[in-house]
Amino acid sequence: MDSVGPLGLQQGDGAPGCPQEALPCPSNSPELVQECLRQFKVTGAQLRQIQASLLGSMEQALSGQANPAPTVRMLPTYVGSVPHGTEQGDFVVLELGAIGASLRVLWVTLMGTKGHRMEPQSREFVIPQEVMVGPGQQLFDFAARCLSEFLDAFPVGNQGLQLGFSFSFPCHQTGLDKSTLISWTKGFRCSGVEGQDVVQLLRDAIQRQGAYSIDVVAVVNDAVGTMMGCEPGAGPCEVGLVVDTGTNACYMEEARHVAVLDEDRGRVCISVEWGSFSDDGALGPVLTTFDHALDHESLNPGAQRFEKMIGGLYLGELVRLVLAHLAQRGVLFGGCTSPALLSRGGILPEHVAEMEDPSAGAARVHTILQDLGLRPRASDTELVRHVCAAVCTRAAQLCAAALAAVLSRLQRSREQETLQIAVATGGRVFERHPRFLSILQETVMLLAPRCDVSFIPSVDGGGRGVAMVTAVAARLAAHRRLLEETLAPFRLTREQLAAVQAQMREAMARGLRGEASSLRMLPTYVRATPDGSERGDFLALDLGGTNFRVLLVRVATGGVQISSQIYSIPECVAQGSGQQLFDHIVDCIVDFQQKQGLSGQSLPLGFTFSFPCRQLGLDQATELNVVAIVNDTVGTMMSCGYEDPRCEVGLIVGTGTNACYMEELRNVASVAGDSGHMCINMEWGAFGDDGSLGMLSTNFDASVDQASINPGKQRFEKMISGMYLGEIVRHVLLHLTSLGVLFRGQPTQRLQTRDIFKTKFLSEIESDSLALRQVRAILEALGLPLTSDDALMVLEVCQAVSQRAAQLCGAGVAAVVEKIRENRGLEELTVSVGVDGTLYKMHPHFSSLVAATVQELAPRCAVTFLQSEDGSGKGAALVTAVACRLAQMTHV
């Protein structure tokens, strides 16, 4: 027992802790009491200052700024998901540090969605004082013995057990099962543990014990356990708040905001470690003389200042210091003290809870004080109750200010006007102090008015919650395996891509020779690309749908100028005879010439006709008397060729896909002549229709093909182009849902709907600038109820499908440029590819994946990709211009 009180107050000379004669109350006793109570009053402005300061420190720590050192640690816990409600299995939990000088071992059975909730079986072991402050190995050996003794009561046999380790001390985690102790708190001072991996220390102790096969899957603090132990309600619980012997909070942060993780997707649970918050500017004004005295006498002076104003371990001590001060001043107990009142730890948190509770009654307060060796008068009980209420009210308000900082952080990071969030609460202060939660709620509403917060008591966070972390880790690992197995066929190796390249080369050669091939290799009768000398005015006609364009293209020294007009095709014309269609087109051309002041002039006309047709000559797809008929792929090559004379390949990757290139005329069996070049329309969408791509086709490709209007046709196109990628993704998502990997295994009617998943969604979902919440918004707009885990997996599915498409496209381009290089007998080829199509242009990664694949498969070709502008219009005019130039040269 201390003979001097913590504020330097001397004991009396008579009976222990009491003057020789009981002192009457001083005349200023109400003022003395009010003076003490006023120290514990915190204003709204002070709470907002604490909220702002803590939020600033949180964001500083998240961003990795070390100067000045942030006063909260913001430690990643490597818990990346909250429970779905589907978790099941048997798990063992070892809980250390959450319940004072004892540890607890639990056997937890999770039933998932299949059955009723089973109560965990547990046993508590008291930790001897000498173990709490002795060598670290002694503590962990004690824990391993308790674990073994507990498991002896279960029919474990040789069964491997998964264990979750609840370790409620400040730690630096580098993995779900790797955690280094930063500092002891809560009365523990074991040597040789700080700076060590506590999971490894426990594993070593279990191995020394040698009784059971136990895998320590996860190390969890009590705040994380509290959050994870919350029963899933209308929405997931994403904040955990603990006020027990100490205090802490955790929440689900966007991983891209956590500098130490270097992750850009998903979420991670962050342990705020706010007990260490110690901004003098914010906390200084609310620290009382009693806080300073408590800190001075603690095991860690100067540390955990915020925790010492809130945590249950300290509430009783603060009350004791105030009561001792008032007794020494003669205001309470007739000036008498007692050994308990003057000894650290003399008043316990449970004493404070009972004395503060209005329903306890004066008699109960009187009894508690008597049990502490005091002689309370009738008036003392009410004063003591006021002191307990003041200390606890301040604790709840400070806790609310810290929680409001966390909520503000969530609201900011998720960019939400109003944040709807569930907060799991845990710890004996919540259980024993009913007023604590109500004061916390009221204060949070004042400090975070745009946050709709529901507080949910956690169901045994240290036990069930830690088991849930372990179960979620097991679920995620199982789902990860199933996801990888599902997506494995889409992840093509270099060898597979090289085989596609070789097969395409062989199909090209057969098609050029006129042999049976899935590549038709059609001559376009375009014999040259622009050389820059083309001049003149040309008309172009672009027909490819319900509308068509007529263009005037002026090719001059300064470049190309285009004027155009769109004309519609009436439904009766589109479905009528061919003569009706072309009569309508001619009428529109005449109208356009009149508007352009070109009436009566005979201008060369290029016609882009974006439908499959067999050309017999440059102007012989029909009887229409025009200079050139061009498909969109050739137009794309020619449009880019005017800007870059090295452009000798055209590529379309949009709704469909195709390619063309400049082939040596001598290799084209269907066209007479041995010198010069010929642009070949590959019609490569049909590549593989002979079964040569069978080894790459998945069950999902087969499903999409069977449901298409042309089963068995255009197999290459169906693995690449925009018309089909969304459908492939939808079929993969259906499969993963049937495995229970997605959407908790519950298929939605929307996902059963064909073509619901547009290819544009792949481009949006895979955009680097999109946060995960935006990915969720896109999917939720499709009627898919999903979690953050689901959103991440949908993203991976999209990435796998679009990556395969880009790589197959790249393998095709590699085959083409290698063919050109070998045709010309070059060691190295420098060539450009003109590209058009919404998938290529709009998808954030498609173009770079195509280029990377070409570079890998055709390393002796330096390939530049140029995005085409108006290939069907400008390109058709340039085909016409080149044809006129060649005709003039022939005439000369």
Side-chain angles (χ1 to χ4, degrees):
M1 180 186 76
D2 298 333
S3 61
V4 179
L7 299 175
L9 303 172
Q10 300 292 329
Q11 292 186 349
D13 296 327
C18 189
Q20 292 180 356
E21 292 183 10
L23 300 173
C25 279
S27 59
N28 64 340
S29 61
E31 288 79 6
L32 290 171
V33 173
Q34 288 305 316
E35 179 192 331
C36 286
L37 297 182
R38 264 196 304 272
Q39 290 190 58
F40 288 92
K41 285 191 180 296
V42 187
T43 67
Q46 288 171 328
L47 290 172
R48 288 187 182 89
Q49 174 66 24
I50 290 168
Q51 176 188 3
S53 177
L54 182 55
L55 176 59
S57 193
M58 288 169 61
E59 294 184 336
Q60 181 191 349
L62 284 174
S63 65
Q65 296 177 27
N67 192 17
T71 59
V72 291
R73 295 191 180 94
M74 302 299 285
L75 303 175
T77 66
Y78 296 86
V79 171
S81 175
V82 293
H84 284 177
T86 59
E87 291 77 12
Q88 54 188 307
D90 294 323
F91 302 92
V92 180
V93 173
L94 176 64
E95 187 180 39
L96 178 62
I99 45 177
S102 61
L103 64 79
R104 195 165 61 129
V105 186
L106 303 94
W107 181 281
V108 182
T109 300
L110 301 175
M111 301 297 291
T113 57
K114 297 179 181 175
H116 64 283
R117 183 170 167 269
M118 292 183 66
E119 289 299 320
Q121 301 177 61
S122 66
R123 182 175 168 189
E124 197 168 312
F125 297 84
V126 176
I127 305 173
Q129 178 65 24
E130 64 271 16
V131 174
M132 291 178 66
V133 296
Q137 182 172 325
Q138 185 181 10
L139 173 65
F140 285 94
D141 282 343
F142 176 80
R145 284 197 303 275
C146 295
L147 185 60
S148 181
E149 188 177 327
F150 172 79
L151 291 174
D152 286 344
F154 291 85
V156 175
N158 295 324
Q159 174 188 351
L161 300 171
Q162 292 184 309
L163 181 140
F165 184 21
S166 173
F167 190 74
S168 300
F169 302 93
C171 288
H172 175 60
Q173 253 182 288
T174 54
L176 190 60
D177 62 346
K178 293 180 178 65
S179 189
T180 302
L181 177 65
I182 295 171
S183 60
W184 286 114
T185 56
K186 307 174 187 177
F188 284 78
R189 281 187 300 178
C190 296
S191 60
V193 180
E194 292 179 352
Q196 299 297 311
D197 180 1
V198 295
V199 174
Q200 193 56 50
L201 293 174
L202 178 61
R203 283 176 174 150
D204 293 344
I206 291 171
Q207 193 168 10
R208 284 193 294 273
Q209 189 70 22
Y212 294 99
S213 172
I214 299 172
D215 179 19
V216 184
V217 174
V219 58
V220 186
N221 68 26
D222 49 355
V224 179
T226 294
M227 181 185 78
M228 299 293 279
C230 185
E231 292 281 4
C237 185
E238 296 188 290
V239 181
L241 170 60
V242 169
V243 189
D244 199 271
T245 49
T247 181
N248 192 18
C250 67
Y251 72 100
M252 297 302 291
E253 175 64 82
E254 303 294 316
R256 70 183 190 279
H257 294 146
V258 186
V260 296
L261 292 183
D262 196 26
E263 288 280 339
D264 60 354
R265 297 287 185 182
R267 290 178 178 164
V268 65
C269 180
I270 294 292
S271 178
V272 180
E273 298 294 333
W274 69 25
S276 62
F277 177 60
S278 59
D279 178 7
D280 290 338
L283 279 191
V286 298
L287 285 168
T288 68
T289 53
F290 307 103
D291 293 306
H292 289 296
L294 181 149
D295 179 58
H296 179 71
E297 285 194 348
S298 68
L299 293 172
N300 52 352
Q304 301 295 107
R305 297 304 299 270
F306 196 57
E307 181 169 83
K308 289 170 183 172
M309 303 167 80
I310 298 174
L313 185 65
Y314 307 100
L315 295 183
E317 193 63 6
L318 284 171
V319 168
R320 182 186 73 80
L321 292 171
V322 176
L323 297 186
H325 172 69
L326 293 174
Q328 296 272 358
R329 300 288 294 272
V331 176
L332 284 178
F333 317 131
C336 294
T337 60
S338 71
L341 190 62
L342 295 180
S343 298
R344 192 170 66 216
I347 295 182
L348 300 175
E350 49 265 36
H351 293 149
V352 177
E354 284 197 74
M355 291 190 292
E356 184 205 13
D357 186 0
S359 65
R364 180 60 187 144
V365 177
H366 193 274
T367 301
I368 292 171
L369 294 172
Q370 279 188 322
D371 290 345
L372 293 171
L374 298 166
R375 295 185 296 190
R377 297 169 299 199
S379 60
D380 292 340
T381 57
E382 193 60 29
L383 286 175
V384 169
R385 181 169 284 157
H386 280 309
V387 170
C388 292
V391 170
C392 293
T393 296
R394 184 190 69 162
Q397 290 174 328
L398 293 175
C399 187
L403 179 59
V406 171
L407 298 174
S408 299
R409 172 64 206 158
L410 277 167
Q411 192 172 16
R412 184 178 299 179
S413 67
R414 298 184 185 181
E415 300 173 27
Q416 294 179 349
E417 276 292 313
T418 302
L419 179 71
Q420 282 192 310
I421 198 84
V423 176
T425 58
R428 285 168 295 181
V429 170
F430 282 112
E431 296 163 9
R432 293 170 177 169
H433 293 259
R435 288 182 64 251
F436 193 95
L437 180 57
S438 62
I439 295 167
L440 177 80
Q441 288 174 309
E442 291 169 11
T443 312
V444 166
M445 285 177 65
L446 288 172
L447 299 177
R450 291 190 299 164
C451 296
D452 180 8
V453 187
S454 52
F455 291 87
I456 304 173
S458 181
V459 184
D460 187 15
R464 187 173 184 275
V466 176
M468 191 61 78
V469 173
T470 312
V472 166
R475 168 175 61 78
L476 290 177
H479 286 181
R480 169 56 50 187
R481 285 193 298 273
L482 290 169
L483 180 66
E484 289 300 328
E485 288 171 11
T486 301
L487 297 183
F490 292 94
R491 307 196 196 282
L492 304 182
T493 64
R494 188 192 186 286
E495 290 70 27
Q496 288 174 305
L497 291 169
V500 172
Q501 178 187 13
Q503 287 172 332
M504 183 167 280
R505 282 292 304 276
E506 178 57 32
M508 290 169 70
R510 288 199 305 269
L512 288 170
R513 292 194 297 265
E515 299 171 5
S517 172
S518 61
L519 291 178
R520 297 172 69 188
M521 305 300 285
L522 304 173
T524 67
Y525 297 88
V526 171
R527 299 172 184 269
T529 55
D531 66 1
S533 67
E534 293 79 11
R535 299 287 183 272
D537 292 350
F538 305 90
L539 288 176
L541 181 63
D542 176 15
L543 175 65
T546 56
N547 296 322
F548 70 97
R549 288 186 305 155
V550 182
L551 305 94
L552 172 63
V553 180
R554 290 195 155 123
V555 184
T557 306
V560 177
Q561 291 183 327
I562 300 176
S563 304
S564 67
Q565 184 169 338
I566 296 175
Y567 292 89
S568 63
I569 301 176
E571 188 176 351
C572 60
V573 173
Q575 296 181 357
S577 67
Q579 182 174 339
Q580 280 180 288
L581 173 64
F582 286 100
D583 284 348
H584 177 72
I585 290 171
V586 170
D587 290 342
C588 295
I589 293 172
V590 170
D591 175 76
F592 179 77
Q593 284 185 298
Q594 288 174 345
K595 289 177 179 176
Q596 295 293 327
L598 301 172
S599 296
Q601 292 190 37
S602 177
L603 296 180
L605 184 143
F607 184 12
T608 297
F609 193 71
S610 298
F611 302 97
C613 54
R614 179 175 179 82
Q615 280 188 255
L616 304 175
L618 188 55
D619 57 354
Q620 292 179 25
T622 71
E623 298 302 316
L624 194 64
N625 185 24
V626 293
V627 172
I629 293 178
V630 186
N631 74 16
D632 52 357
T633 317
V634 177
T636 294
M637 179 187 75
M638 297 296 275
S639 173
C640 293
Y642 186 78
E643 310 298 332
D644 181 354
R646 294 175 302 185
C647 183
E648 297 188 82
V649 182
L651 172 65
I652 299 285
V653 193
T655 308
T657 184
N658 193 15
C660 69
Y661 73 101
M662 298 303 292
E663 177 60 81
E664 304 298 312
L665 185 60
R666 67 178 182 274
N667 295 333
V668 186
S670 60
V671 180
D674 292 327
S675 63
H677 299 94
M678 172 68 72
C679 178
I680 295 296
N681 171 18
M682 296 177 67
E683 291 294 341
W684 82 1
F687 175 55
D689 286 1
D690 56 0
S692 58
L693 287 179
M695 75 291 189
L696 297 184
S697 181
T698 68
N699 293 334
F700 312 109
D701 295 303
S703 298
V704 170
D705 178 55
Q706 286 303 309
S708 70
I709 60 171
N710 55 349
K713 303 293 185 184
Q714 301 295 102
R715 298 305 298 268
F716 195 56
E717 182 168 84
K718 287 172 183 173
M719 300 169 86
I720 292 177
S721 75
M723 181 178 285
Y724 304 99
L725 296 192
E727 267 299 277
I728 296 172
V729 167
R730 185 179 70 84
H731 280 280
V732 176
L733 300 186
L734 278 171
H735 174 69
L736 291 171
T737 304
S738 72
L739 296 177
V741 173
L742 279 178
F743 314 130
R744 302 180 188 177
Q746 299 169 359
T748 65
Q749 188 58 43
R750 292 281 285 167
L751 199 57
Q752 307 279 351
T753 308
R754 184 177 167 185
D755 291 328
I756 182 182
F757 207 93
K758 304 296 183 187
T759 297
K760 71 170 185 175
F761 294 141
L762 274 74
S763 299
E764 293 174 2
I765 286 170
E766 292 185 59
S767 171
D768 291 332
S769 63
L770 227 57
L772 194 61
R773 62 173 185 80
Q774 293 166 301
V775 175
R776 288 184 65 172
I778 291 168
L779 298 170
E780 284 166 354
L782 294 176
L784 303 177
L786 76 168
T787 65
S788 294
D789 296 336
D790 292 334
L792 272 175
M793 284 190 276
V794 171
L795 169 64
E796 284 196 55
V797 172
C798 293
Q799 288 172 330
V801 171
S802 59
Q803 176 173 297
R804 182 189 68 162
Q807 288 177 323
L808 288 173
C809 185
V813 173
V816 171
V817 296
E818 274 292 297
K819 177 80 164 67
I820 295 172
R821 185 187 67 79
E822 291 183 14
N823 280 347
R824 298 176 187 177
L826 298 173
E827 277 296 311
E828 293 187 356
L829 171 71
T830 300
V831 68
S832 296
V833 179
V835 195
D836 204 350
T838 51
L839 179 59
Y840 184 92
K841 288 183 173 180
M842 301 305 293
H843 191 281
H845 307 298
F846 198 95
S847 58
S848 59
L849 286 167
V850 171
T853 306
V854 173
Q855 187 174 15
E856 185 172 14
L857 297 180
R860 295 162 72 181
C861 298
V863 183
T864 302
F865 290 86
L866 307 171
Q867 290 199 17
S868 167
E869 294 179 15
D870 195 10
S872 52
K874 175 183 171 184
L878 286 166
V879 170
T880 307
V882 170
C884 291
R885 171 172 61 82
L886 295 178
Q888 287 173 352
M889 289 171 62
T890 304
H891 180 70
V892 171

